[in-house]
Amino acid sequence: MTDVTATPNDKTSNDKAGKRKNAGGLGLLLDFGPLLIFFLAYKVYGVFIGTAVFMVAIVASLLISKIKLGHVSPMLWLTAILVVGFGGLTIYLHDPKFIQIKPTIIYLLLAGLLFGGLLMGKPMLKYVLEAAYDGLSDVGWRKLSRNWAWFFLAMAVANELLRWQFDFDQWLTIKTWGVTVVSILFGIAQLPMLMKNGLSVETEAPPVPPQG
């Protein structure tokens, strides 16, 4: 009779996989939740109260991440700092353009960080997302960092075009739903390349970096 009892190593691996899965779901909620809350608050109360709610939501995300995950990712820190900074300018100067510029700044900073890392031979996403990409080779990390760098650069351009071409309501709707969907689809589109470069077949769908 075959012994199907799980070994301690198997149990440890399953526990780690379960934690990664739970952390991935919570991480996605922490990244996109504040933006969704901003959208809903704006629809009910307007841009300035919505912006204040957005600032509170992003700070709450920091606290939840620290308590539940034990750490706060550098990109979530960056997003929070810019949300609070540009959100404060939006409310103080009573001008919504500052909260619209914020995503452009985030995208440009992320693109610059990733491109700079590649020039120095350091795929920066490896230091942020390594635990979520089990087995990925150095070549895979370089390609992933390169692809996201170009994506963030394209999103910075797109955000500027959107805020010039549409009013705030249209811009926010596209930002909340269109950009979020595009980002998730882009992340999923990386899977074939990741698989070819060593990503474990048991890995859950890769997380999407914060979208600002």
Side-chain angles (χ1 to χ4, degrees):
M1 181 176 179
T2 303
D3 185 5
V4 295
T5 303
T7 66
N9 288 339
D10 291 336
K11 186 175 181 180
T12 300
S13 298
N14 290 336
D15 289 343
K16 288 182 178 179
K19 289 179 180 179
R20 281 200 304 268
K21 183 176 181 180
N22 292 335
L26 179 58
L28 189 65
L29 180 62
L30 294 176
D31 291 337
F32 291 102
L35 181 60
L36 179 58
I37 290 172
F38 175 36
F39 176 81
L40 295 175
Y42 161 74
K43 288 294 185 180
V44 177
Y45 300 108
V47 61
F48 300 110
I49 292 180
T51 298
V53 171
F54 192 18
M55 295 164 66
V56 172
I58 199 69
V59 171
S61 287
L62 289 177
L63 296 175
I64 293 171
S65 180
K66 182 63 176 178
I67 293 170
K68 294 293 186 180
L69 303 181
H71 71 282
V72 178
S73 72
M75 286 187 284
L76 184 55
W77 270 116
L78 173 63
T79 301
I81 290 170
L82 291 178
V83 166
V84 172
F86 282 90
L89 286 173
T90 294
I91 295 171
Y92 181 73
L93 299 176
H94 221 64
D95 189 341
K97 75 178 180 182
F98 291 103
I99 204 69
Q100 289 181 287
I101 293 172
K102 181 265 305 176
T104 300
I105 303 299
I106 291 179
Y107 293 137
L108 288 176
L109 287 173
L110 292 176
L113 182 64
L114 294 178
F115 279 128
L118 291 171
L119 288 174
M120 295 186 293
K122 296 180 179 180
M124 301 306 292
L125 284 182
K126 181 177 182 179
Y127 304 101
V128 180
L129 303 174
E130 185 171 13
Y133 292 81
D134 188 31
L136 187 62
S137 68
D138 288 339
V139 172
W141 281 114
R142 286 195 296 271
K143 290 182 177 179
L144 184 67
S145 295
R146 176 203 63 194
N147 292 351
W148 276 108
W150 282 112
F151 178 81
F152 285 133
L153 186 59
M155 293 305 294
V157 174
N159 188 67
E160 287 302 292
L161 293 175
L162 287 173
R163 77 181 187 88
W164 281 107
Q165 293 294 322
F166 298 99
D167 62 29
F168 189 89
D169 185 80
Q170 294 170 321
W171 170 84
L172 184 57
T173 299
I174 296 171
K175 168 65 180 170
T176 303
W177 305 111
V179 172
T180 299
V181 170
V182 168
S183 301
I184 292 173
L185 290 177
F186 184 82
I188 294 173
Q190 305 308 302
L191 280 173
M193 178 277 290
L194 296 173
M195 293 294 192
K196 291 179 181 178
N197 287 279
L199 184 69
S200 172
V201 294
E202 296 180 356
T203 301
E204 297 294 324
V208 178
Q211 300 304 297

